[in-house]
C-alpha cells in the first residue's frame, strides 16, 4: 500500500482520528515517516506537545506501517506500548520515524522515534507490539 | 490536596485537557480513582475506547496522585510509560485506579489499572515514572 | 499443578536454572509466591542483589504461574518484560509475588512485585507477556 | 574511557560478573558493541540463550556506554528496563549494539539491540534508563 492508499484507508476506517492532521510522508517495506500538524488541543502548559499526542502519533504510525506490509487488516490490535520521553518538544509539528523490528504471523513489534521541528535529537522513543488477527478477519 | 483541590488545580493549569471530562472519585496518600466520561471523539471503529484515550487517563491519574502527595508542582514530567492492553473496552466510561510504587526525591513510579464499565477485569495496565523537579520550582 | 509438581517440572525441563535456588511457596489459579536463596554470584558491589537476578526470578515466577494454569507447556515464550527498579535490595533472599492480568488463547500478561527480606515495600515491579503455543505443542 | 579501560573498571568493581565473559569490541561517544561468550549455564532447553542472559548483557552494555561518557561512576543505577524478545537466538555468542538516546544530568536513556551469531535480524531489543548520582559520589 502506498502513502496515499494508507491515508485513504485511515480516513475511511478511523474517522475519529481525522482531527490529528497526520500526513504519511514516506512508507516502504521497513520504515515509515508521518508528520502531524500540532494544534492548540495537543498542547500542554508552556506550549509543549502533550504526551498522549505523541503516543497517539506513534500508535498511528506503527499501525500504518504494519498495514503497508500485511494489507488492510483493520483489526490488528496494540498489545504493548512503551514510551520514553526524552526532551521537551517545541510547540510546532512533530514527526514520527518508525521501523519494524519483527513481523511474525501473530505478533509484530516496531520502534518509533518522535522528532520535534527544530530539535535535532528525538523527543521521545517508543516500542510497540501488535497482535495480528488470523487471515479470515481481513476486511 | 483533596479531590476537589486537584480538579481545580487541573482545570487552572491544564485548560487543554478539560475535554477529557475527568472526575476524581477518590484520592488518599497511596491511591487514586478517576473516572472519565467517554465521548465520540475517544472511540475507535466498533465503538471501543481508543488506546491514546486510556494512556491519557493513566497519565492524568498518576500525575494527580503525585500532586496530592507533593503539592501543586505543575512541572513534574512523565519520563516513562509502559501500557499493556488486555481486553477490548466497552464504549462507555472508563475508570483508572492507581497506586504509588515509589515516591523518591527525584523519581516517582506508580501503576494504574484501567477498567471499563461493565467489565470486571482491567482492560489495560500501566506503569509510569515521573521526574520530580527541585523544590524551588514549586508554583 | 501444585507447587511440588511445578518444581519437579522446572527441575526436569530447566536443569540450567537449578542454581537459582528457587522455591515455590504458594500457587493458586491467580497468584504465585516464589522465594530465591541469594548467593554470592547474584550480588553486586555493596552487597545488593543484581538486576538480572531479579529479572530471572520474575521471569521464572510468571512462567510457573502460567504453567499452573495451562499445564506443562514447556514452550511458552516471553515476548515482553518491563521492570522498574524501585529500591536497593538487601543482600538476603528475595521473594516474588505475581498475579495474572490476562490469560488469553495466544497471549498471557501478568505482573510481579519483588520483595527483599526486611524491606516492607517492593524493590522492583515487573510486567511480563508470554506467547502461548497452539495446543498440539504440549509436552 | 577506552574499551580496555572499561573492561578493567568492570573487572575491578564487578568481580561477580566476570563469568559473563564479556568483551568490549567498540565504544565511542554514542555507541557501544560488546560480545558475550555463551556457555552452558546461559542456555535454555533446546539450546537457546536464556532471556535473563540477554537482559544482563544489555544492562552491562548500556552501563559501560554511560561510563565511557561520564567517567567511572560506579553508582549509576538502572531504573527501568524494557525488553522485547523478537527471535529465538542460536546457541552461540551474542552481541549487543547500543546507542544513547538521551544523556541528561540526572537521567540517561539508551537502546540496545541484541544479535545472535548467524542471524541477521536482532533477537531482542531493549530500552534502559539509568539514574545518575550527583558528582561528589564519583569514585
Amino acid at each position: 500500500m502506498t502513502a496515499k492508499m494508507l491515508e485513504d484507508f485511515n480516513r475511511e476506517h478511523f474517522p475519529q482520528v481525522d482531527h490529528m492532521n497526520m500526513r504519511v510522508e514516506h512508507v516502504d517495506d521497513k520504515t515509515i515517516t508521518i508528520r502531524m500538524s500540532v494544534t492548540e488541543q495537543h498542547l500542554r502548559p508552556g506550549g509543549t506537545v502533550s504526551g498522549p499526542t505523541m503516543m497517539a502519533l506513534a500508535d498511528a504510525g506503527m499501525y500504518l506501517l504494519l498495514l503497508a506490509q500485511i494489507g488492510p487488516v483493520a483489526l490488528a490490535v496494540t498489545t504493548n506500548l512503551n514510551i520514553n520521553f526524552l526532551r521537551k518538544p517545541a510547540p510546532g509539528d512533530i514527526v514520527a520515524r518508525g521501523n519494524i523490528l519483527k513481523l511474525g504471523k501473530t505478533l509484530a513489534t516496531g520502534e518509533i522515534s518522535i522528532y520535534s521541528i527544530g530539535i535535532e535529537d528525538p523527543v521521545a522513543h517508543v516500542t510497540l507490539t501488535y497482535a495480528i488477527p488470523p487471515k479470515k478477519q481481513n476486511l
Side-chain angles (χ1 to χ4, degrees), chain A residues 120-133:
Chain A
E120 185 181 346
D121 291 312
V123 295
H125 180 272
V126 195
T127 55
L128 306 100
T129 298
Y130 291 75
I132 301 170

Side-chain angles (χ1 to χ4, degrees), chain A residues 44-48 88-89 91:
Chain A
R44 279 284 162 81
T48 188
K88 190 178 163 177

